Amino acid sequence: QAQLVESGGGAVQAGESLTLSCAASGRTFSSYVMGWFRQSPGKEREFVATIRWSTGSTYYADSVKGRFTISRDNAKKTMYLQMNSLKPEDTAVYYCAAAYYNGNFPYSRERQYDYWGQGTQVTVSS
């Protein structure tokens, strides 16, 4: 059983930056794919970014490409989402997720993930 805990959310102005963290425990994550999703009020949860833990390969949603960077720290078993040039439309609850790697990276669908964190709120005002 894996446990994921997000942190780092908050309220910022448009154009500012935030870094989210996802601390993982309970498993060896070298064979896992990790991802970030987000959900705004009244909308379905959407894919943001994903990283294959063992290789560091990454993939992003078009809406965040060039502004967000996903990374991981093996020693700390922590995944990060560096968010720059934030926009009001980035406002959402951000969730981290984990999936056992079975090939065909990237994983951009919710149903591909087995474990989820509780979410952290990011609010961007104009």
Side-chain angles (χ1 to χ4, degrees), residues 22-24 53 73-80:
C22 174
W53 197 273
D73 184 320
N74 283 321
K76 296 182 178 179
K77 295 179 70 176
T78 299
M79 176 178 65
Y80 303 97

Side-chain angles (χ1 to χ4, degrees), residues 25-119:
S25 62
R27 285 197 176 263
T28 301
F29 284 88
S30 59
S31 298
Y32 274 69
V33 170
M34 305 285 289
W36 287 100
F37 288 76
R38 65 187 182 186
Q39 187 168 24
S40 305
K43 295 186 178 181
E44 294 186 352
R45 190 153 52 183
E46 65 173 357
F47 167 75
V48 175
T50 183
I51 186 167
R52 187 178 165 194
W53 197 273
S54 61
T55 63
S57 299
T58 60
Y59 179 76
Y60 298 89
D62 287 343
S63 59
V64 306
K65 200 174 297 182
R67 299 188 298 123
F68 291 10
T69 302
I70 189 172
S71 62
R72 86 281 189 248
D73 184 320
N74 283 321
K76 296 182 178 179
K77 295 179 70 176
T78 299
M79 176 178 65
Y80 303 97
L81 186 68
Q82 172 69 41
M83 305 184 294
N84 297 328
S85 302
L86 282 162
K87 305 175 181 179
E89 51 263 45
D90 294 318
T91 295
V93 177
Y94 283 71
Y95 299 89
C96 68
Y100 187 78
Y101 178 67
N102 281 317
N104 298 319
F105 182 82
Y107 293 3
S108 59
R109 297 188 177 93
E110 283 189 68
R111 59 181 173 82
Q112 294 177 293
Y113 290 84
D114 303 304
Y115 304 102
W116 293 84
Q118 81 290 349

